[in-house]
Amino acid sequence: MDKDIKEIEDSINDWHPGSSVDCVILGYENQKLKVLLLQLEFEELWMLPGGMIHKDEDLKDAAYRVLRERTGLDSIYLKQFHTFGHKSRPNIANIAASEKGKGFSTYLKSNYPQYYNWMNRRYITTGYFALVDISKVECVKKQINEKHEWIAINNLPELIMDHAKIIYKCLDFIRMQLNYLPISTNLLPNEFTMKDLQKLYESFLNEKLERSNFQRKMLKLGVFKRLKKKMAGAPNKAPYLYCFNEDKYNELVKKGIGIL
Amino acid sequence: MDKDIKEIEDSINDWHPGSSVDCVILGYENQKLKVLLLQLEFEELWMLPGGMIHKDEDLKDAAYRVLRERTGLDSIYLKQFHTFGHKSRPNIANIAASEKGKGFSTYLKSNYPQYYNWMNRRYITTGYFALVDISKVECVKKQINEKHEWIAINNLPELIMDHAKIIYKCLDFIRMQLNYLPISTNLLPNEFTMKDLQKLYESFLNEKLERSNFQRKMLKLGVFKRLKKKMAGAPNKAPYLYCFNEDKYNELVKKGIGIL
């Protein structure tokens, strides 16, 4: 047996059957919310980084492994948001039915038949999202000649399977909990202005917010600490700088931030 | 082959391998938040109603099926909250290691060996919660001589596997989103007083709330409509009755209730 195929067959037996993880890795750059997508070089197919779960691996650890393998980051904010288990979740056979997916399916079938059969199952996939600092990410190239790109979420390309749906569900999840998630500490520099924070919120909500109302509500949350120094510039015009108060945030989350 | 065993073997081939659902069915009775638990008659083991997923069944439909089968209710508020995929999620073999689980494991192994083997896998389970009107529930008795009971969540018995953890995670999830979930419309009668609502919140938060502060914040949400009639009793003392304004709620959820 071909050594490569043997290796794949061996490794196949090592995976949990029928479950997988997919990761929505979000970053913020030039006032735009972006998601890390992979593309097969010989195709125009874009996809989320994802993978299967080792038989002796926690679901969450599988998500961490995928992130580490793809982004090179070890310590990242990672949170489960939803499990996708529609019976018609398209498997490889379904992908082959689409014009763009044909090449990928044929390639896999002829080069990795066992892998093809294994992937051609119904996977129930659990979505995790990560909030990362794009400047610290060193994306790693994996098999099947992937390239990767940070793509603005309001300008997504065509994605395979239900990956677009997974991204939209993730954004819905984050929007619902915007005040409960430490988005600023993961996506903004350590020190930021209220305007920076507002731009970040706007990128998630995809709408303009009213400045004074936003600032009042944000400051009322009590998790942003105003620093003594101001932004460099003309002293009388320079906006205040803030930092995220993680201790205060954790305390509030415990007590039920914003619930009552 | 024994007919029963043959039937089980046939049905086993019909299930998605390695995935399951578990349902936290919550109701509210006598000012207490309660969860529906099942017990094996020959054991003291309590468990959540749950089950496997048919190969051609949506994950969500599997959860609905379990609920329908156990509670007799067809139309219920059901929501996914978390997927549990710890590698050491105890399977039947682990259950057998506990004093109370020994009987169940032995019973299953000797009466349904194929079923035992099938269940003795690592299942990644997705948790759903339902909010139901206890008075409308007609619990159905299933195989292995189950009995069922509504048990107050602050007085849980010993549960098998990680089922206690699943319940606590569910309550955490609900607490985090108390204002975003239509808990009152599912757990209170159509007309209720602010005191009723406060008691319901307190049962989730497991703490006493300050009356005027609670009322002010609840009414500010704008999803409770004050009715013209008051609670029966002395007119000048009778509290106002309210109902849940579902249209207003849906509108607010779309706009991002409580987010900013």
Side-chain angles (χ1 to χ4, degrees):
Chain A
M1 193 187 288
D2 184 303
K3 189 178 160 284
D4 268 10
I5 304 263
K6 177 73 179 66
E7 240 167 49
I8 289 170
E9 270 218 327
D10 282 352
S11 80
I12 279 174
N13 293 324
D14 184 37
W15 301 106
H16 184 273
S19 294
S20 61
V21 290
D22 279 294
C23 296
V24 180
I25 308 177
L26 297 169
Y28 185 69
E29 197 178 43
N30 301 328
Q31 300 188 354
K32 278 194 174 134
L33 187 62
K34 295 183 175 179
V35 59
L36 184 66
L37 294 178
L38 310 178
Q39 191 184 33
L40 302 174
E41 266 186 16
F42 61 89
E43 280 295 337
E44 282 172 66
L45 279 175
W46 289 92
M47 59 176 77
L48 290 169
M52 292 186 281
I53 301 148
H54 286 292
K55 274 188 177 159
D56 64 347
E57 182 180 45
D58 287 356
L59 184 62
K60 184 156 195 165
D61 287 344
Y64 270 115
R65 178 175 47 77
V66 167
L67 285 172
R68 205 166 40 242
E69 285 173 5
R70 307 301 176 132
T71 66
L73 281 174
D74 238 335
S75 161
I76 23 189
Y77 182 83
L78 182 72
K79 201 174 160 74
Q80 188 192 115
F81 64 93
H82 196 76
T83 293
F84 300 83
H86 201 277
K87 64 184 169 198
S88 66
R89 268 204 92 232
N91 52 24
I92 297 290
N94 290 108
I95 295 174
S98 83
E99 201 44 53
K100 283 186 181 171
K102 218 174 274 177
F104 174 60
S105 166
T106 308
Y107 169 84
L108 203 65
K109 200 166 189 171
S110 51
N111 288 281
Y112 303 99
Q114 281 82 348
Y115 210 40
Y116 176 88
N117 287 335
W118 182 259
M119 284 180 79
N120 196 24
R121 293 167 165 227
R122 173 188 167 193
Y123 278 92
I124 292 179
T125 200
T126 300
Y128 282 84
F129 73 89
L131 304 174
V132 305
D133 183 339
I134 293 183
S135 68
K136 284 184 190 151
V137 174
E138 277 191 48
C139 287
V140 181
K141 208 170 144 158
K142 297 278 293 182
Q143 78 271 36
I144 334 186
N145 298 324
E146 287 157 356
K147 72 170 188 176
H148 46 259
E149 211 166 293
W150 287 98
I151 297 181
I153 56 139
N154 53 9
N155 194 24
L156 290 180
E158 197 185 322
L159 288 142
I160 63 164
M161 308 210 291
D162 54 353
H163 285 197
K165 195 185 148 198
I166 293 176
I167 293 175
Y168 293 131
K169 186 85 184 178
C170 172
L171 293 172
D172 279 347
F173 178 91
I174 295 178
R175 271 183 213 113
M176 273 291 272
Q177 308 195 28
L178 218 41
N179 283 347
Y180 311 114
L181 297 172
I183 54 164
S184 58
T185 188
N186 286 283
L187 297 178
L188 291 179
N190 289 343
E191 299 175 356
F192 49 86
T193 64
M194 274 292 135
K195 193 178 171 187
D196 295 333
L197 189 67
Q198 183 175 339
K199 290 277 176 200
L200 177 65
Y201 265 72
E202 288 176 347
S203 74
F204 274 103
L205 296 170
N206 207 18
E207 61 176 298
K208 295 265 172 244
L209 300 168
E210 200 276 309
R211 197 182 68 96
S212 62
N213 198 29
F214 174 82
Q215 293 203 7
R216 190 176 47 80
K217 293 200 173 175
M218 282 301 106
L219 294 175
K220 213 176 137 195
L221 282 177
V223 296
F224 301 105
K225 193 176 148 193
R226 195 164 90 179
L227 301 174
K228 279 197 179 127
K229 62 175 174 178
K230 292 187 177 185
M231 185 99 159
N236 57 334
K237 281 185 189 170
Y240 281 106
L241 282 169
Y242 293 82
C243 71
F244 182 76
N245 188 336
E246 196 149 357
D247 290 343
K248 187 76 194 235
Y249 170 78
N250 289 331
E251 190 188 307
L252 281 177
V253 165
K254 235 189 224 163
K255 272 172 53 184
I257 180 175
I259 283 177
L260 285 175
Chain B
M1 194 187 288
D2 184 304
K3 188 178 160 284
D4 268 10
I5 303 264
K6 177 74 178 68
E7 241 167 47
I8 289 170
E9 272 218 325
D10 282 352
S11 80
I12 278 173
N13 292 325
D14 185 38
W15 301 107
H16 185 272
S19 294
S20 63
V21 290
D22 279 295
C23 296
V24 180
I25 308 177
L26 297 169
Y28 185 69
E29 197 178 43
N30 301 328
Q31 300 188 352
K32 276 192 175 137
L33 187 62
K34 294 183 176 179
V35 59
L36 183 66
L37 295 178
L38 309 178
Q39 191 184 34
L40 302 173
E41 267 186 15
F42 61 89
E43 278 296 335
E44 281 173 67
L45 279 176
W46 289 93
M47 58 177 77
L48 289 170
M52 293 186 281
I53 301 149
H54 287 292
K55 274 188 177 158
D56 64 347
E57 183 180 45
D58 286 357
L59 183 63
K60 183 155 196 166
D61 288 343
Y64 269 114
R65 177 175 46 77
V66 167
L67 284 171
R68 205 167 41 239
E69 284 173 5
R70 307 301 176 131
T71 66
L73 282 174
D74 238 335
S75 162
I76 22 188
Y77 182 83
L78 182 71
K79 202 175 158 76
Q80 188 192 115
F81 63 94
H82 195 76
T83 293
F84 299 83
H86 201 276
K87 65 186 169 197
S88 66
R89 267 204 92 233
N91 51 24
I92 298 290
N94 290 106
I95 296 174
S98 82
E99 202 44 51
K100 285 185 179 171
K102 218 174 275 176
F104 174 60
S105 166
T106 308
Y107 169 83
L108 202 65
K109 199 166 191 172
S110 52
N111 289 282
Y112 304 99
Q114 280 82 348
Y115 210 41
Y116 176 88
N117 286 337
W118 183 258
M119 286 181 78
N120 196 23
R121 294 168 166 225
R122 173 190 167 192
Y123 278 92
I124 292 180
T125 201
T126 299
Y128 282 83
F129 73 89
L131 303 174
V132 305
D133 182 340
I134 292 183
S135 68
K136 285 185 190 150
V137 174
E138 277 192 49
C139 288
V140 182
K141 208 171 145 159
K142 298 278 292 180
Q143 79 270 39
I144 334 184
N145 298 323
E146 287 158 356
K147 72 169 187 178
H148 46 258
E149 211 168 293
W150 287 99
I151 298 181
I153 56 139
N154 52 10
N155 195 24
L156 291 179
E158 197 185 322
L159 288 142
I160 63 164
M161 309 209 292
D162 54 354
H163 285 196
K165 195 184 148 197
I166 292 175
I167 294 174
Y168 293 131
K169 185 85 184 179
C170 172
L171 294 172
D172 280 348
F173 179 90
I174 295 178
R175 271 184 213 112
M176 273 291 271
Q177 307 196 27
L178 217 42
N179 283 347
Y180 311 113
L181 297 172
I183 55 165
S184 58
T185 187
N186 286 283
L187 297 177
L188 290 179
N190 288 344
E191 299 176 356
F192 49 86
T193 64
M194 274 292 134
K195 193 177 171 189
D196 295 332
L197 189 67
Q198 183 175 340
K199 290 278 176 199
L200 178 64
Y201 266 72
E202 287 175 348
S203 74
F204 274 102
L205 297 169
N206 209 17
E207 60 176 298
K208 295 265 172 245
L209 300 168
E210 199 275 310
R211 197 182 67 96
S212 61
N213 197 29
F214 174 82
Q215 294 203 7
R216 191 175 49 79
K217 293 199 172 177
M218 282 301 106
L219 295 175
K220 215 176 134 193
L221 281 177
V223 296
F224 301 107
K225 193 177 150 193
R226 196 164 89 179
L227 301 174
K228 281 198 178 127
K229 62 177 174 176
K230 292 187 175 185
M231 186 98 159
N236 57 336
K237 280 183 187 170
Y240 283 106
L241 282 170
Y242 294 82
C243 71
F244 182 76
N245 188 337
E246 196 148 357
D247 290 343
K248 187 79 192 228
Y249 169 78
N250 290 331
E251 190 188 308
L252 280 177
V253 164
K254 235 190 224 163
K255 272 172 54 184
I257 180 174
I259 283 176
L260 283 174

